[in-house]
Amino acid sequence: MPLSLPFETTYLDLPDRFYTRQPATPVSDPQLIVFNHALAADLGLDTSDMTDAEAAAIFSGNALPDSATPFAQVYAGHQFGGFSPQLGDGRALHLGELDSPLGRIDIQLKGSGPTPYSRSGDGRAWVGPVLREYLMSCAMQALDIPTTKALAAVTTGDRILREQGPLPGAIVTRVAASHIRVGTFQFFAARGDVEALEKLTDYTIARHYPDAGGPLGLLEQVMAKQARLVALWMAHGFIHGVMNTDNVQIAGETIDYGPCAFMDTYHPDTVFSSIDHQGRYAYSNQAPITHWNLAQFATALIPVMPDQDRAIEDFTAVINRFPALFQSEWTRAFAPKLGLPATDEAAVLAQDLLDHMATAKADFTNTFADVHKTETTFPDWHKKWRAAAPDDALWLRHNPQVIPRTHKIEEAIQAATTGDYTPFHAMLAAVTDPFTKNDAYMQPPEPQEKVLQTFCGT
């Protein structure tokens, strides 16, 4: 095979109640939309002899390498606060793990067909969510925000029935440090399966946090990763949209780009998910929700501790440190956007600017990218900022000119449904070079272009 994928899948060393093995479901006519050659090179994969047809066959699941061991993972999760005791990969299939220059990674097909965890779904994806995930994950990588990564996207040749009618089917190939989630721990904790919890804890520590020293250290290190991740989201105006515990990845990467968006006009209560009627996952609520999700993770770990009463005290003490930890990470993420070191003064200036922006209905990205213009728009704030002696070089390095604006994503998706991928490729080039000015992608939407909601699922 032109592309060698030497999978060695350690997750399958865990008991079979962690997953279900199954072959990929064939598609009728796979065609390559895009392949991430730069990511392939980072993974140590030689794609020089791979044709588009061969890539489409592999990353549709039609022609998997012999080393692939396809399986779907099981997990549970709190979804909008309500606990679902069994979820799982309802539209995804793991091909296996690779040892790469980036470390051990999972490669997964998303939109690849039904699994035992699909419930009433068809397990498929249409081209819209596939292109959104590809654009968003590539943009996040270019912004140096921890994320799962997109390796390929293909059309399937099949039509997918959704509320809008029949739509072109597609599959995205996702690369992740792993797909272990808070909900993976919750699945076994809810069943009182202490043996499985112990095995999962040991596996997670060995794979991701080898110096954790045990469950308490694991909790501390996962909390640190999540605090940093969400602070970086917020520093770029990103709203995940569905921060359910099954969407909280233990390795600390952004995962599951469903109803997500980068804000245009700034307001702390902005919500994009079409089903988040209470604003649970609003921009300003992402830190409190992360705190809550981590508490669920701590609760799921308690059964593996020999002295559970003592563990409750110790784990509670760790969780109670989250607000201060997050505030520190928030300052560390926002201060350089003003060209300042991470101090209390910088944090106050950043929050004051956000307050001004909310009142003025200012564009999030463009305000930070053109912060010198606040001399006109927010003169009193500007004087305080200049008095703090900002470093322009530091400011420039931390403020993108281009983000994947939702109205431009929708334009690319609409074109793709007719078979025109030119807008998608043009936008991909822009969002993967985010610190270079590109007028076509820097403008906020006109009133008639605004997209106020994005949608869950594929």
Side-chain angles (χ1 to χ4, degrees):
M1 183 168 290
L3 179 61
S4 175
L5 292 167
F7 292 120
E8 296 179 1
T9 305
T10 60
Y11 199 80
L12 293 177
D13 294 336
L14 293 166
D16 59 10
R17 59 191 184 276
F18 281 70
Y19 48 80
T20 298
R21 298 179 191 239
Q22 70 168 68
T25 304
V27 301
S28 63
D29 183 23
Q31 300 291 326
L32 186 68
I33 302 171
V34 60
F35 183 80
N36 193 335
H37 289 277
L39 176 58
D42 290 342
L43 296 174
L45 301 177
D46 180 6
T47 61
S48 57
D49 295 331
M50 184 180 66
T51 67
D52 286 359
E54 289 164 342
I58 294 169
F59 296 111
S60 64
N62 275 15
L64 295 182
D66 292 340
S67 61
T69 49
F71 66 96
Q73 285 183 345
V74 68
Y75 46 82
H78 276 93
Q79 298 188 306
F80 291 88
F83 186 64
S84 297
Q86 180 170 308
L87 300 169
D89 292 326
R91 51 177 167 253
L93 202 63
H94 297 257
L95 302 187
E97 301 161 16
L98 293 177
D99 274 327
S100 79
L102 298 182
R104 177 168 287 273
I105 57 97
D106 289 356
I107 294 185
Q108 181 197 72
L109 303 181
K110 186 174 179 181
S112 54
T115 76
Y117 315 118
S118 297
R119 293 175 285 179
S120 60
D122 60 12
R124 290 299 188 185
W126 70 280
V127 72
V130 164
L131 296 190
R132 178 179 288 111
E133 175 145 351
Y134 201 101
L135 287 166
M136 293 296 281
S137 61
C138 287
M140 296 288 263
Q141 185 179 1
L143 292 169
D144 202 24
I145 300 173
T147 181
T148 57
K149 301 172 178 67
L151 182 61
V154 302
T155 54
T156 63
D158 302 311
R159 305 296 284 182
I160 305 301
L161 187 61
R162 295 294 182 262
E163 289 182 4
Q164 308 95 308
L167 295 162
I171 297 171
V172 65
T173 300
R174 182 161 69 186
V175 173
S178 82
H179 288 80
I180 302 169
R181 310 155 188 262
V182 168
T184 316
F185 286 81
Q186 290 181 294
F187 177 82
F188 296 108
R191 286 157 177 73
D193 191 342
V194 177
E195 178 191 23
L197 269 178
E198 289 174 341
K199 290 181 180 297
L200 179 61
T201 301
D202 290 344
Y203 178 85
T204 302
I205 290 172
R207 183 163 176 178
H208 294 300
Y209 302 101
D211 60 345
L216 182 64
L218 174 63
L219 175 62
E220 290 174 327
Q221 293 192 26
V222 169
M223 186 170 79
K225 284 280 187 77
Q226 289 295 323
R228 179 61 176 164
L229 175 64
V230 177
L232 288 171
W233 287 356
M234 297 185 73
H236 289 84
F238 178 74
I239 302 168
H240 184 279
V242 188
M243 294 175 65
N244 297 330
T245 55
D246 54 294
N247 292 338
V248 179
Q249 187 225 42
I250 294 298
E253 297 175 327
T254 313
I255 193 170
D256 290 330
Y257 290 98
C260 62
F262 285 82
M263 277 190 292
D264 297 306
T265 300
Y266 172 72
H267 194 282
D269 297 333
T270 302
V271 174
F272 272 96
S273 171
S274 62
I275 61 174
D276 190 2
H277 304 298
Q278 305 302 317
R280 179 180 176 86
Y281 300 135
Y283 171 83
S284 60
N285 212 30
Q286 293 183 118
I289 285 296
T290 300
H291 192 187
W292 191 89
N293 286 342
L294 289 164
Q296 309 317 307
F297 180 45
T299 300
L301 287 172
I302 291 293
V304 306
M305 302 300 288
D307 185 340
Q308 294 189 14
D309 291 337
R310 174 64 183 272
I312 290 171
E313 293 180 8
D314 291 344
F315 286 13
T316 300
V318 170
I319 293 297
N320 286 344
R321 294 200 294 270
F322 178 82
L325 173 63
F326 181 80
Q327 181 57 46
S328 176
E329 292 293 354
W330 189 94
T331 301
R332 190 158 74 97
F334 270 90
K337 292 179 70 67
L338 300 179
L340 299 173
T343 64
D344 290 344
E345 178 188 18
V348 170
L349 279 168
Q351 186 58 60
D352 285 350
L353 177 58
L354 290 171
D355 292 343
H356 285 304
M357 289 164 58
T359 300
K361 298 181 179 179
D363 185 83
F364 185 96
T365 300
N366 289 351
T367 299
F368 279 101
D370 294 328
V371 72
H372 288 279
K373 291 184 178 180
T374 57
E375 184 174 12
T376 301
T377 53
F378 313 128
D380 292 339
W381 180 88
H382 185 86
K383 289 178 183 177
K384 295 177 183 177
W385 174 63
R386 293 306 303 174
D391 177 344
D392 278 359
L394 180 65
W395 157 66
L396 285 169
R397 289 199 303 272
H398 287 83
N399 286 294
Q401 301 289 327
V402 174
I403 55 167
R405 293 184 184 268
T406 305
H407 70 293
K408 300 300 289 186
I409 293 176
E410 291 301 318
E411 286 179 12
I413 289 172
Q414 288 302 314
T417 59
T418 68
D420 179 8
Y421 292 95
T422 302
F424 163 75
H425 287 290
M427 186 171 185
L428 180 61
V431 301
T432 53
D433 188 17
F435 296 94
T436 298
K437 289 188 175 184
N438 189 325
D439 289 340
Y441 297 95
M442 292 168 57
Q443 302 307 314
E446 296 294 333
Q448 71 276 13
E449 296 176 314
K450 287 184 178 179
V451 179
L452 301 179
Q453 293 182 333
T454 49
F455 298 86
C456 284
T458 54

